[in-house]
Amino acid sequence: MPLVSSTEMFKKAYEGKYAIGAFNVNNMEIIQGIVDAAKEEQSPLILQVSAGARKYARHIYLVKLVEAAVSDTGLPICLHLDHGEDFEICKACVDGGFNSVMIDGSKHPFEENIALTKKVVEYAHSKGVVVEAELGRLAGVEDDISVSARDAQFTDPDQAVEFVERTGCDSLAIAIGTSHGAYKFKGEPYLDFERLQRISELMPGYPIVLHGASTVIPEFVEKCNEYGGDVAGARGVPEEMLRKAGTMGVCKINIDTDLRLAMTASIREHLQNHPADFDPRTYLGAGRAAIKGMVQHKIKHVLNSSNRI
Ligand code: G3H
Ligand code: 13P
Ligand code: ZN
């Protein structure tokens, strides 16, 4: 069974006003936890691999594990490179079995981002692979950020239109207040929905991507801390904000931190409760089960992507 293109997934998601979960994968247990949840919910999926994941697990292992997941579950799955920083890594993934890549030129000036993205789009499209790009800077948001600082950091709607037109990228990651990791907001969580609305209105039908979209689920943060961890003051994007974004043109919601927290919390708990246990299958199994439960909750209650196959 082949991988499924995110183009098909995004079209349906856009029309149905829901989002596809894009989950970062680094090993077999993470992949199995995610796909087992999606199978029960009959949800399409994007499994994404970062440069760090390729370094840790090695490219070929992750590709083969994802292929195994497709054969095992029969689910529509897209295999995506997350945050490709240059042409070379995108090419390696296009040539090496991925059907979607991200070129993240967001740290470069506008014209350089366009030139780099265009180069990746030309190569990827010639091989039937789609491209996500990024415009704007994802950084933690201070409570008292000024309007001018926000404008400098967040995605400019008119530039987004120009960027998509000139690069031909298939989806665009935008900055509206989310950020990576477990510490997203210093004060109250805030997303610039007016900006999202404006971008969606200017590009009707076009799939928008939200990075840094973990909720930092309090249950797992508390469990990490209860069982010997030190994850203080962590704060993510509230679920209701993600649900709202999913109805406004956001077709892909990226989740990694919540996977890490669910897995780590459950492994910490398991090892503390079973001090004599040293079989990796038992604690990795506990991590896999926690990921499955967490992803199933997201699919049902946040992404709204259940029964979309
Ligand atoms: O956006 C970054 C993802 O969470 C991947 O993180 O580069 O540590 O694999 P990583
Ligand atoms: P989180 O750190 O919020 O999970 O974001 C993950 C992400 O954007 C991967 O590209
Ligand atoms: Zn990201």
Side-chain angles (χ1 to χ4, degrees):
M1 272 191 78
L3 294 166
V4 170
S5 170
S6 54
T7 307
E8 266 175 56
M9 295 182 189
F10 292 160
K11 190 167 181 296
K12 287 193 205 160
Y14 193 96
E15 282 161 10
K17 291 191 179 297
Y18 62 94
I20 309 290
F23 298 95
N24 284 72
V25 298
N26 292 278
N27 66 15
M28 183 188 76
E29 286 76 11
I30 295 174
I31 292 174
Q32 288 180 336
I34 296 164
V35 299
D36 289 352
K39 173 95 177 170
E40 269 181 37
E41 290 306 317
Q42 287 295 291
S43 168
L45 268 185
I46 296 173
L47 297 179
Q48 56 188 13
V49 169
S50 68
R54 282 176 90 241
K55 196 168 168 207
Y56 170 74
R58 286 177 259 165
H59 181 103
I60 188 71
Y61 287 84
L62 292 171
V63 170
K64 295 293 176 192
L65 283 168
V66 171
E67 280 172 13
V70 172
S71 303
D72 182 35
T73 63
L75 286 170
I77 294 176
C78 164
L79 174 56
H80 174 74
L81 167 68
D82 190 30
H83 291 285
E85 71 161 358
D86 53 32
F87 176 78
E88 286 67 32
I89 189 171
C90 292
K91 182 177 185 303
C93 290
V94 168
D95 295 344
F98 286 47
N99 66 341
S100 175
V101 293
M102 175 189 192
I103 176 67
D104 180 359
S106 61
K107 66 176 184 219
H108 299 298
F110 187 61
E111 288 299 331
E112 279 174 40
N113 190 359
I114 287 186
L116 177 60
T117 302
K118 227 176 139 184
K119 185 174 172 192
V120 171
V121 167
E122 275 165 19
Y123 185 74
H125 283 186
S126 76
K127 307 278 181 183
V129 171
V130 294
V131 178
E132 173 186 326
E134 179 164 328
L135 186 65
R137 277 189 297 117
L138 259 71
V141 179
E142 307 282 338
D143 234 2
D144 54 356
I145 186 173
S146 68
V147 173
S148 59
R150 185 174 292 165
D151 277 345
Q153 181 178 323
F154 289 181
T155 307
D156 177 81
D158 296 316
Q159 275 198 340
V161 175
E162 184 184 344
F163 186 90
V164 168
E165 273 173 12
R166 288 177 60 193
T167 62
C169 62
D170 303 278
S171 58
L172 185 69
I174 60 166
I176 56 165
T178 62
S179 62
H180 294 108
Y183 306 93
K184 299 188 191 298
F185 301 101
K186 292 263 164 58
E188 282 309 300
Y190 166 84
L191 295 190
D192 191 341
F193 281 105
E194 274 177 38
R195 191 176 297 262
L196 171 59
Q197 171 113 26
R198 180 89 187 113
I199 294 170
S200 293
E201 279 168 3
L202 289 173
M203 300 194 288
Y206 190 82
I208 292 166
V209 178
L210 218 50
H211 281 247
S214 277
T215 294
V216 188
I217 300 166
E219 176 198 337
F220 294 121
V221 174
E222 282 156 23
K223 200 175 269 188
C224 275
N225 291 333
E226 189 184 338
Y227 291 99
D230 181 12
V231 192
R235 185 158 218 184
V237 185
E239 290 186 345
E240 62 271 18
M241 289 192 181
L242 297 169
R243 279 192 286 270
K244 183 171 168 183
T247 66
M248 295 175 67
V250 169
C251 295
K252 175 174 180 270
I253 289 189
N254 281 15
I255 296 151
D256 188 6
T257 298
D258 283 337
L259 296 166
R260 296 178 183 199
L261 286 168
M263 187 158 211
T264 302
S266 55
I267 290 176
R268 279 190 179 284
E269 180 185 31
H270 179 90
L271 289 175
Q272 187 149 323
N273 288 338
H274 304 86
D277 194 355
F278 55 86
D279 181 343
R281 292 172 297 187
T282 60
Y283 56 84
L284 292 177
R288 179 173 61 186
I291 283 183
K292 181 183 174 200
M294 188 278 286
V295 170
Q296 199 158 354
H297 170 85
K298 294 243 186 230
I299 288 173
K300 268 169 125 159
H301 302 294
V302 180
L303 302 161
N304 192 20
S305 66
S306 298
N307 300 312
R308 305 288 189 176
I309 295 174

